[in-house]
Amino acid sequence: MFGPGSQFDEFFNDPRWALAMVRATVLEAAHPQIGAALIDNSTFVAHPWRRLRNTFLSLQRMFGADDHVRQREAARLNRLHARLNGTDPQGRSYDAMSPDVRAWVVATLFESTVTMCRLSGRPLEQHAMERLYTEFQAFLAAMGDEDGHLPPTVQEFWQYYDRVVEEELENTEAMHIVLYKLFDHLPAPPLLNGLPTLWGAGRVVAGPVIGAITVASLPEPFRRRAGLPELPGAQTLMQGAYLAAGLARFLPGGRTHAGAIADLLFLSPDSDDPRARTITALRDKVSRAAALVRLVTPLPAEPEPAPEGRTLRSAEEFFTQVLDQTGNGYLDWPDLAAMARELSSRLDLDEPEETRLYNAFADWWRELQAAVDADGDGRISAHEYAVAAPSMAGPALIRVAEVLFDVTDKDGNQTIDDDEYRALFRTAFHRDTTGVGTAYTRSAFIKDFLSFMTGRRRTTPYDPLLAQA
């Protein structure tokens, strides 16, 4: 069912699966409950690469060979989903723990994988399809869901799938963001950060193409009902893209291995990873090419990276890049919950440490509401924050720093050593802790954290942790 030799393991490293996962995400976002949860709680708009990395790691854990790792990840996901509930703008409730909602997420993954094979000219044989379906059923069972929310057989699955598509899916805001906004405004991954012109040139072409391919691959009844326009030639473009991605599987040397690609994509040039030196050298050469692109390509101006030595940014920048984790223009509880979720994921926390960190952020939110929410609307605008920024470091924020130190200090010796430091700041170090022979003390840690959260400093480890896209 899981690990090497499974159908999922084979498809996980298939380049076509990237296209299939975009399609599955759109079908998930079209479900009204999932779409509402994404809009209210997800960081996929403001921090898409971080969200992709976390999803990638979660799938690796759930479909890997280690049953203990799978059980821990399932428990973590269940705790995460239990915190995601609310009401959409139409007054309808949503709950990420709903068995029907969770079944639909798994259904989109399975159906999009089957569709991926068909569109690339190599449809799955019946026995392979049934085996893959059994693996996805096992995934749902590993999450603790009871049988019955997914049909027992593949034959019955297609009736279920058609019914949900025709009766339940809607033209949601989240779906439109994925199709028409996300790729058009997708920030550069850490690997290409600092090359806005080159990234912008590629995005201008790739964004609309990915959107057109995804729309063309959606079920025709839903596409028509949702009023999604299919561009002329989109079907041919879609089939060509799937065929080309399929051919990429035959590249030598495991160059399409998902893990290797993800490691490279999320590698920051500021990291102390040895590969970063090679990346830095390549970036110098690419910068020269970007200068040429800038001369010949009419792109809108994009902000350049902060000059070396610049440590401060405006309150508005800090609000947008760090505090507004969901990207809706306001600071409210889902933004701080997203910070707690990211920190818990980085540190791979179990209970009770995870709840302890969430509770510290919840206390900070209550403190912020009382001190900063001037109009009492339950959320904090960028203007309200800018006015009150100097008074941000109240007792509750200090408590957040203390709890974060405690859960990072795994051995409880009141210092954070190199390994513990890496666990928290592993995606991009702004200082090399290898072999320095000194420990990060509680007071220094708390001072740095508060300096970041109130002084809006760029050159601390917390910037890539909480501001990186």
Side-chain angles (χ1 to χ4, degrees):
M1 294 289 181
F2 303 105
S6 66
Q7 287 283 92
F8 178 86
D9 186 68
E10 175 185 346
F11 287 126
F12 191 68
N13 293 307
D14 192 318
R16 299 173 297 172
W17 214 57
L19 296 172
M21 290 305 98
V22 174
R23 180 182 184 277
T25 300
V26 170
L27 289 170
E28 291 171 23
H31 191 287
Q33 285 204 55
I34 299 174
L38 286 173
I39 290 296
D40 285 352
N41 301 280
S42 179
T43 62
F44 80 104
V45 173
H47 303 278
W49 294 109
R50 194 175 76 193
R51 170 67 188 274
L52 175 62
R53 184 199 65 223
N54 290 342
T55 301
F56 175 83
L57 291 175
S58 181
L59 287 172
Q60 277 188 315
R61 292 171 177 173
M62 287 301 299
F63 281 94
D66 192 321
D67 189 57
H68 175 68
V69 170
R70 180 165 38 257
Q71 291 176 6
R72 287 190 74 240
E73 181 62 12
R76 186 189 73 84
L77 290 173
N78 284 334
R79 293 195 302 270
L80 185 156
H81 292 156
R83 295 183 172 101
L84 303 181
N85 52 73
T87 305
D88 71 8
Q90 286 75 44
R92 299 173 297 185
S93 63
Y94 65 82
D95 185 352
M97 286 296 288
S98 166
D100 291 335
V101 168
R102 287 152 67 98
W104 178 245
V105 171
V106 175
T108 64
L109 293 173
F110 168 72
E111 189 275 340
S112 290
T113 305
V114 173
T115 299
M116 163 192 93
C117 296
R118 175 176 56 82
L119 293 177
S120 56
R122 298 188 63 183
L124 282 177
E125 296 182 1
Q126 186 65 28
H127 71 88
M129 189 184 305
E130 291 175 352
R131 180 183 172 194
L132 181 65
Y133 188 61
T134 301
E135 290 176 8
F136 276 108
Q137 287 177 308
F139 168 80
L140 201 58
M143 295 289 293
D145 289 34
E146 298 178 357
D147 293 340
H149 297 285
L150 275 180
T153 66
V154 171
Q155 290 75 16
E156 294 171 285
F157 170 82
W158 298 114
Q159 298 176 4
Y160 154 81
Y161 176 81
D162 290 341
R163 179 188 62 77
V164 175
V165 168
E166 293 174 6
E167 298 178 8
E168 298 187 31
L169 299 193
E170 297 178 1
N171 190 358
T172 65
E173 180 185 356
M175 184 194 73
H176 265 263
I177 289 175
V178 175
L179 281 174
Y180 301 118
K181 179 180 177 182
L182 183 60
F183 292 108
D184 286 347
H185 299 84
L186 188 67
L191 177 65
L192 298 177
N193 193 27
L195 298 172
T197 303
L198 188 66
W199 174 256
R203 187 180 58 194
V204 164
V205 176
V209 169
I210 294 173
I213 290 171
T214 305
V215 169
S217 70
L218 295 175
E220 196 275 335
F222 173 69
R223 194 170 65 235
R224 184 176 60 250
R225 191 173 77 253
L228 298 174
E230 183 179 323
L231 300 176
Q235 288 288 333
T236 302
L237 179 65
M238 172 193 66
Q239 291 176 347
Y242 275 95
L243 285 170
L247 292 174
R249 291 176 297 157
F250 302 107
L251 290 173
R255 294 177 185 175
T256 61
H257 192 277
I261 293 174
D263 286 345
L264 184 62
L265 199 62
F266 297 124
L267 177 65
S268 168
D270 297 323
S271 171
D272 58 12
D273 189 306
R275 294 172 297 175
R277 289 189 289 271
T278 303
I279 297 299
T280 300
L282 289 174
R283 279 183 55 170
D284 291 340
K285 295 180 180 180
V286 172
S287 294
R288 300 190 191 100
L292 177 61
V293 172
R294 199 158 44 239
L295 289 174
V296 300
T297 308
L299 292 173
E302 294 201 23
E304 294 292 333
E308 190 68 26
R310 180 184 170 190
T311 60
L312 294 177
R313 60 183 143 205
S314 69
E316 290 77 11
E317 284 180 306
F318 184 76
F319 184 91
T320 300
Q321 295 174 6
V322 178
L323 296 179
D324 184 13
Q325 292 281 308
T326 59
N328 66 355
Y330 292 91
L331 171 62
D332 51 15
W333 167 240
D335 297 302
L336 300 193
M339 292 185 194
R341 186 164 64 242
E342 176 62 18
L343 294 169
S344 297
S345 298
R346 292 289 183 92
L347 296 169
D348 197 20
L349 297 183
D350 276 327
E351 293 288 29
E353 289 82 4
E354 182 182 281
T355 295
R356 189 178 169 209
L357 187 62
Y358 269 90
N359 288 342
F361 272 96
D363 289 342
W364 185 37
W365 170 237
R366 285 188 284 270
E367 182 179 81
L368 284 174
Q369 277 187 299
V372 184
D373 183 15
D375 57 11
D377 64 352
R379 57 187 186 178
I380 297 169
S381 67
H383 174 72
E384 286 174 326
Y385 164 74
V387 171
S391 62
M392 286 281 286
L397 181 58
I398 296 172
R399 180 59 181 161
V400 169
E402 292 174 338
V403 172
L404 182 57
F405 178 88
D406 290 341
V407 298
T408 304
D409 177 23
K410 295 290 187 180
D411 57 13
N413 67 352
Q414 296 302 303
T415 59
I416 293 176
D417 60 26
D418 291 356
D419 290 338
E420 291 167 340
Y421 188 92
R422 287 177 182 278
L424 183 59
F425 301 117
R426 63 180 175 264
T427 60
F429 301 156
H430 282 244
R431 65 179 181 182
D432 187 349
T433 63
T434 305
V436 295
T438 59
Y440 204 8
T441 65
R442 173 182 286 270
S443 60
F445 182 94
I446 293 173
K447 178 181 177 182
D448 283 354
F449 182 80
L450 295 178
S451 175
F452 172 72
M453 295 302 295
T454 60
R456 302 179 297 281
R457 295 191 174 274
R458 292 179 183 273
T459 56
T460 72
Y462 301 96
D463 198 71
L465 176 63
L466 294 175
Q468 192 176 71

